[in-house]
């Protein structure tokens, strides 16, 4: 008991407050530690021995008795308005009529998490209970945080704080001069995020005519705003800005980009038709015209091919069903589709590959590369041979590949062409080293043997003999070449030996 009294004396004579200094401003951590220390000291003071004491209510009745329970129930069922009226009528002499919702908590049960009517609670549960009013002081936010919002910063200081990631309010800059100084400071800071943030503020607080006029002489800020408007999709604001700046070609290109948002094919076609008359440059006008023509062709081809596919009249569509629609596809994809499904059609047909080549002026390299890939995928080796065969004015035929025969070999090999087909085009590779590498890589043994024979490289030919199958036709061919080489050398020696003796 003496220990308890000593703790009580120590508690009441101690203080959780300390003298003011300039170093501990807004030290929430120290305040929190002091609050916890105060709560712990209260827990030590209120001992378990308090449970043996008898608690009484304001009316003098023991807490927990039958009469006390009845009065508690009756007072809890009445409304707060009735309780307030009755308390006013009875005056200060009748405290028992007041609601006793919190009377079940004593000081010890509040801090030890226990009351007589319910089971044990934690300290947080007791403090957050609706029947108990919390008198604990709320910790203040540090004063330094309020400075970011209410500080009277200059434009230069504001930009510096924004560059460091501080939250700064720009609403205090109300005059046009202050806003322009703020923009100039942001541009001088060379921070794109700060420039964009200031431009968003000016866009929201200035009229368009004033903003456009001031940005016209500030090209860096103008470029940032144009990029921001394009990224956010504010098309109307962007068009107004470009018209004010008299950038007619950019206005036309911005309007042309709107076709990407049109999903319906017919509406997109009509929109592109209207874009042809916009003030584009000569080169851009031809591109817009080609885009419109291509979409028009794709609509026709798609309608015909869908009908053939659904009717099942084409064997090619039955064997190789279409995986996607041709609508809105690029020109190269459309050419590949045409070479795959409509390669043999006459030039007068819209879906003919030669018609597409002539209409859109596709270069020979691009056409041969696309057509070769399409016909090789179908394993139509005859079409591949005809594609690479040219005829001169005398009627002589010759193999010619604008993309190079090494590219032809690679495309054919990717489409699993047989060795006989590969060898035919590997032989046509002009560079000897490239030819040997391709022939060795794709196991075109005849080409390797013939190349070493033409080079008269007996050592490499003998070494390559070990790479072919024993007893195969390639081994016999190598043996024949080696024996013929020995025989020819011996004949040459016999021819030169009499002349040597005469000398």
């Amino acid at each position: 008991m003496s220990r308890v009294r000593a703790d009580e004396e120590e508690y009441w004579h101690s203080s959780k407050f300390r003298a003011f200094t300039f170093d501990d401003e807004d030290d929430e951590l120290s305040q929190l530690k002091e609050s916890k220390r105060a709560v712990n000291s209260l827990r030590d003071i209120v001992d378990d021995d308090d449970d043996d004491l008898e608690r009484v209510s304001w009316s003098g009745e023991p807490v927990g008795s039958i009469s006390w329970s009845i009065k508690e129930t009756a007072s809890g069922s009445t409304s707060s308005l009735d309780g307030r009226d009755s308390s006013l009528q009875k005056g200060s002499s009748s405290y028992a009529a007041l609601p006793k919702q919190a009377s079940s908590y004593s000081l010890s049960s509040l801090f030890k998490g226990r009351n007589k009517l319910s089971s044990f609670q934690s300290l947080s549960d007791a403090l957050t209970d609706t029947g108990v009013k919390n008198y604990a002081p709320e910790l203040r936010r540090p004063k330094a945080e309020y400075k970011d919002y209410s500080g009277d910063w200059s434009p230069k200081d504001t930009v510096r704080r924004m560059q460091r990631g501080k939250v700064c309010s720009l609403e205090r800059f109300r005059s046009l001069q202050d806003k322009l100084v703020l923009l100039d400071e942001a541009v001088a800071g060379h921070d794109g995020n700060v420039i964009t943030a200031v431009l968003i503020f000016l866009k929201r607080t200035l009229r368009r005519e004033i903003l456009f006029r001031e940005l016209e002489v500030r090209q860096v800020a103008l470029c940032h705003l144009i990029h921001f408007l394009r990224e956010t999709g504010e098309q109307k604001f962007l068009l107004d800005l470009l018209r004010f700046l008299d950038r007619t070609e950019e206005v036309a290109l911005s309007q042309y980009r709107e076709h990407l948002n049109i999903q319906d094919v017919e509406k997109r076609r009509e929109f592109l038709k209207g874009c042809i008359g916009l003030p584009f440059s000569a080169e851009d006008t031809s591109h817009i015209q080609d885009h419109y023509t291509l979409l028009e062709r794709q609509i026709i081809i798609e309608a015909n091919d869908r009908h053939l596919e659904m009717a099942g009249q084409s064997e090619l569509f039955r064997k190789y069903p279409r995986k996607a629609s041709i609508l809105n596809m690029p020109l190269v994809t459309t050419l590949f589709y045409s070479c795959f499904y409509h390669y043999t059609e006459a030039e007068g047909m819209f879906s003919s590959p030669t018609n597409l080549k002539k209409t859109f002026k596709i270069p020979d390299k691009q056409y041969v590369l696309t057509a070769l890939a399409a016909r090789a995928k179908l394993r139509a080796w005859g079409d591949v041979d005809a594609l690479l065969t040219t005829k001169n004015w005398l009627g002589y035929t010759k193999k010619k590949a604008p993309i190079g025969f090494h590219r032809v070999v690679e495309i054919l090999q990717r489409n699993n062409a047989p060795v006989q087909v590969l060898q035919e085009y590997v032989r046509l590779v002009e560079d000897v080293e490239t030819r040997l590498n391709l022939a060795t890589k794709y196991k075109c043994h005849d080409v390797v043997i013939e190349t070493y024979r033409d080079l008269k490289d007996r050592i490499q030919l003998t070494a390559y003999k070990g790479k072919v199958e024993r007893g195969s036709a390639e081994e016999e061919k190598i043996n024949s070449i080696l024996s013929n080489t020995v025989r020819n050398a011996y004949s040459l020696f016999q021819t030169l030996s009499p002349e040597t003796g005469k000398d």
Side-chain angles (χ1 to χ4, degrees):
M1 197 64 179
S2 61
R3 183 178 61 83
V4 175
R5 289 182 179 176
D7 292 341
E8 274 187 335
E9 291 294 330
E10 182 183 355
Y11 172 75
W12 292 111
H13 286 87
S14 63
S15 175
K16 64 181 180 179
F17 298 100
R18 55 182 177 177
F20 172 77
T21 59
F22 287 97
D23 297 331
D24 57 352
E25 181 182 5
D26 299 323
D27 190 1
E28 295 185 0
L29 183 60
S30 61
Q31 293 181 11
L32 183 60
K33 290 181 178 179
E34 292 292 341
S35 300
K36 289 183 177 180
R37 194 177 297 114
V39 172
N40 292 332
S41 63
L42 284 175
R43 285 180 177 173
D44 295 334
I45 293 171
V46 183
D47 204 339
D48 292 337
D49 297 333
D50 294 340
D51 296 338
D52 300 331
L53 299 178
E54 183 179 3
R55 298 187 182 90
V56 294
S57 64
W58 292 103
S59 60
E61 297 177 358
V63 176
S65 63
I66 296 176
S67 61
W68 176 84
S69 301
I70 294 174
K71 289 185 178 182
E72 282 291 310
T73 306
S75 63
S77 61
T78 57
S79 63
S80 60
L81 183 59
D82 295 336
R84 188 181 303 169
D85 293 339
S86 61
S87 63
L88 291 174
Q89 292 174 3
K90 292 182 181 180
S92 61
S93 60
S94 178
Y95 293 99
L98 292 173
K100 300 179 182 60
Q101 189 175 358
S103 61
S104 60
Y105 294 94
S106 64
L107 184 62
S108 62
S109 64
L110 178 65
F111 285 96
K112 292 166 67 176
R114 188 168 54 187
N115 64 58
K116 292 297 182 181
L117 297 179
S118 60
S119 60
F120 289 92
Q121 293 179 328
S122 63
L123 176 60
S124 59
D125 295 336
L127 293 176
T128 56
D129 193 279
T130 56
V132 181
K133 189 172 182 180
N134 187 6
Y135 292 97
E138 182 180 358
L139 297 177
R140 294 186 299 108
R141 297 176 64 182
K143 292 181 180 179
E145 292 188 11
Y146 293 100
K147 294 179 182 178
D148 291 337
Y149 301 98
S150 60
D152 190 11
W153 304 105
S154 65
K156 189 172 184 179
D157 292 336
T158 302
V159 170
R160 287 180 178 176
R161 292 181 67 82
M162 292 174 68
Q163 288 175 341
R164 292 197 298 266
K166 299 289 184 180
V167 180
C168 300
S169 176
L170 304 181
E171 299 298 333
R172 60 174 299 275
F173 299 101
R174 294 188 178 132
S175 66
L176 177 61
Q177 183 178 0
D178 290 343
K179 293 177 181 178
L180 295 179
V181 171
L182 179 65
L183 179 60
D184 293 337
E185 292 292 341
V187 173
H190 304 288
D191 192 324
N193 293 331
V194 177
I195 297 174
T196 304
V198 174
L199 286 172
I200 293 173
F201 169 68
L202 298 183
K203 175 177 169 290
R204 182 170 52 85
T205 57
L206 292 179
R207 287 186 300 175
R208 293 190 178 185
E209 296 79 8
I210 299 175
L211 179 62
F212 295 165
R213 185 183 67 241
E214 298 297 337
L215 289 179
E216 191 174 8
V217 296
R218 295 171 172 83
Q219 291 298 316
V220 176
L222 178 63
C223 293
H224 275 78
L225 181 60
I226 291 175
H227 179 74
F228 171 76
L229 294 174
R230 284 174 177 167
E231 290 294 322
T232 55
E234 299 184 48
Q235 193 69 16
K236 188 175 183 305
F237 196 98
L238 177 61
L239 292 177
D240 292 342
L241 175 59
L242 294 176
R243 289 192 185 99
F244 179 86
L245 300 172
D246 198 23
R247 298 185 180 182
T248 55
E249 291 187 13
E250 292 189 29
V251 172
L253 287 174
S254 298
Q255 290 181 343
Y256 168 70
R257 289 192 188 97
E258 292 183 8
H259 82 275
L260 298 173
N261 301 323
I262 303 175
Q263 301 299 327
D264 186 78
V265 181
E266 293 294 338
K267 292 182 179 179
R268 179 178 287 194
R269 182 174 66 87
E270 292 300 324
F271 181 83
L272 291 175
K273 186 177 181 180
C275 289
I276 297 176
L278 294 177
F280 291 103
S281 62
E283 184 179 1
D284 291 338
T285 301
S286 63
H287 290 326
I288 303 300
Q289 180 67 51
D290 288 343
H291 191 177
Y292 168 74
T293 305
L294 177 62
L295 183 58
E296 198 172 31
R297 292 282 185 92
Q298 289 174 346
I299 293 174
I300 297 173
I301 295 173
E302 177 67 21
N304 293 334
D305 289 357
R306 188 188 299 116
H307 175 72
L308 290 174
E309 189 176 23
M310 294 178 64
Q313 299 176 357
S314 174
E315 182 181 356
L316 188 59
F317 282 110
R318 290 197 304 269
K319 190 174 181 181
Y320 301 99
R322 299 190 308 159
K323 296 181 179 180
S325 172
I326 194 62
L327 297 175
N328 299 318
M329 292 296 177
L331 176 59
V332 175
T333 306
T334 306
L335 178 62
F336 181 89
Y337 178 92
S338 180
C339 292
F340 194 90
Y341 289 107
H342 305 282
Y343 188 72
T344 58
E345 290 184 0
E347 185 177 342
M349 303 292 292
F350 282 148
S351 55
S352 170
T354 53
N355 189 300
L356 290 175
K357 178 186 176 183
K358 183 177 180 180
T359 302
F360 297 101
K361 299 176 182 179
I362 301 175
D364 290 339
K365 265 187 181 180
Q366 185 66 63
Y367 178 79
V368 170
L369 183 65
T370 307
L372 178 64
R375 303 318 293 174
K377 195 172 186 65
L378 288 172
R379 302 179 67 83
W381 312 124
D383 293 339
V384 171
D385 184 73
L387 179 67
L388 300 175
T389 301
T390 58
K391 185 182 293 186
N392 59 12
W393 61 280
L394 293 175
Y396 296 104
T397 60
K398 180 183 178 182
K399 291 284 192 302
K400 183 180 178 181
I403 60 175
F405 282 105
H406 63 285
R407 296 281 305 277
V408 173
V409 172
E410 292 173 354
I411 294 173
L412 295 178
Q413 194 277 332
R414 283 200 299 266
N415 290 277
N416 301 319
V419 178
Q420 292 78 10
V421 176
L422 284 178
Q423 287 185 152
E424 181 180 356
Y425 297 101
V426 172
R427 287 190 181 98
L428 299 175
V429 177
E430 294 182 0
D431 185 70
V432 176
E433 185 176 355
T434 304
R435 188 195 315 156
L436 282 173
N437 291 334
L438 290 173
T440 305
K441 182 179 179 180
Y442 301 132
K443 297 182 179 181
C444 299
H445 301 302
D446 289 344
V447 179
V448 176
I449 295 170
E450 292 170 1
T451 304
Y452 285 141
R453 180 198 62 189
D454 296 339
L455 293 174
K456 298 180 180 179
D457 194 338
R458 181 182 179 86
I459 298 175
Q460 292 292 339
L461 193 60
T462 305
Y464 194 75
K465 180 181 177 181
K467 298 180 181 180
V468 299
E469 294 183 5
R470 196 167 282 216
S472 61
E474 290 79 8
E475 187 182 26
E476 294 180 1
K477 188 173 184 179
I478 293 174
N479 291 332
S480 176
I481 294 173
L482 291 175
S483 61
N484 288 335
T485 304
V486 174
R487 189 180 303 111
N488 293 336
Y490 180 75
S491 300
L492 181 61
F493 177 75
Q494 291 291 337
T495 303
L496 293 176
S497 59
E499 296 178 0
T500 305
K502 289 180 182 180
D503 295 337

